[in-house]
Amino acid sequence: MRMIKVFDSADYEPHWTKFKRDSVRAIIFIDGKLLMVRSQKYGEYKFPGGGIEGNETHAAALIREVMEETGYRLLPESINEYGKTLRILKGMGENEIFEQESFYYICTVDENKPSAPAPDDGYEAEYGYEPILVSLDCTIATNEKLLDIPEIPWTLRDLTVLQELKQNHMKG
């Protein structure tokens, strides 16, 4: 899968232990709008998705995460690679480097009768994430204003993908 961007904070020593946590993210358009999750706490938009668990395939993780976060059933046959990002930064543990590769896929969902999203836990519950259909321009404009909030470091990652998506969408 093609690399969209590497975000390297360079706030670690190269010899430190690496902790790697890969994730998948869904790019879903419904009637010309993006299906995103928006936090009530900060107002940023994120692509539906999350961490790959155990031996889960990317497709299985996407299907699970989209259902949990939005209530929509992702159509497995619609999953197409878009690109990936890589975040490298000082980890939570002592002398630890955290690496997260986020794999983005363009997907389609069954638009009939979405279920209620699964109850959130952890920071997702605290931030109050809810699914929302929103224009690409609105997501970009909103996330551009929120880049300086340290509690939502993923905003730059998703903003970068949103901006590239707009460039590619405008060409297509």
Side-chain angles (χ1 to χ4, degrees), residues 35-46:
L35 176 60
M36 302 290 284
V37 289
R38 182 176 182 269
S39 110
Q40 293 176 7
K41 186 169 185 173
Y42 296 105
E44 89 282 5
Y45 293 99
K46 291 191 341 175

Side-chain angles (χ1 to χ4, degrees), residues 124-143:
E124 291 175 332
E126 178 190 340
Y127 288 20
Y129 284 104
E130 294 181 332
I132 186 169
L133 287 173
V134 63
S135 74
L136 183 55
D137 287 338
C138 181
T139 61
I140 290 170
T142 300
N143 281 8

Side-chain angles (χ1 to χ4, degrees), residues 25-31 33 35 62-63 66-67 70 72-80 105-112:
R25 315 260 173 229
I27 301 169
I28 301 165
F29 282 97
I30 300 175
D31 297 328
K33 296 201 174 196
L35 176 60
L62 268 173
I63 291 165
V66 168
M67 177 59 80
T70 71
Y72 282 90
R73 187 177 69 80
L74 192 139
L75 303 175
E77 66 276 9
S78 75
I79 299 170
N80 290 294
Y105 293 89
I106 294 180
C107 313
T108 305
V109 292
D110 180 349
E111 297 175 34
N112 297 317

Side-chain angles (χ1 to χ4, degrees), residues 2 27-29 34 47 82 106 136 140 159-171:
R2 74 183 175 89
I27 301 169
I28 301 165
F29 282 97
L34 272 171
F47 289 98
Y82 182 74
I106 294 180
L136 183 55
I140 290 170
L159 175 62
T160 301
V161 175
L162 288 161
Q163 290 168 331
E164 188 191 89
L165 193 59
K166 181 174 180 170
Q167 285 180 329
N168 290 337
H169 194 65
M170 301 284 278
K171 291 177 192 172

Side-chain angles (χ1 to χ4, degrees), residues 8-23:
D8 189 343
S9 66
D11 62 350
Y12 54 85
E13 296 294 328
H15 65 273
W16 288 359
T17 304
K18 286 184 183 176
F19 174 75
K20 191 165 171 53
R21 174 91 166 128
D22 290 343
S23 62

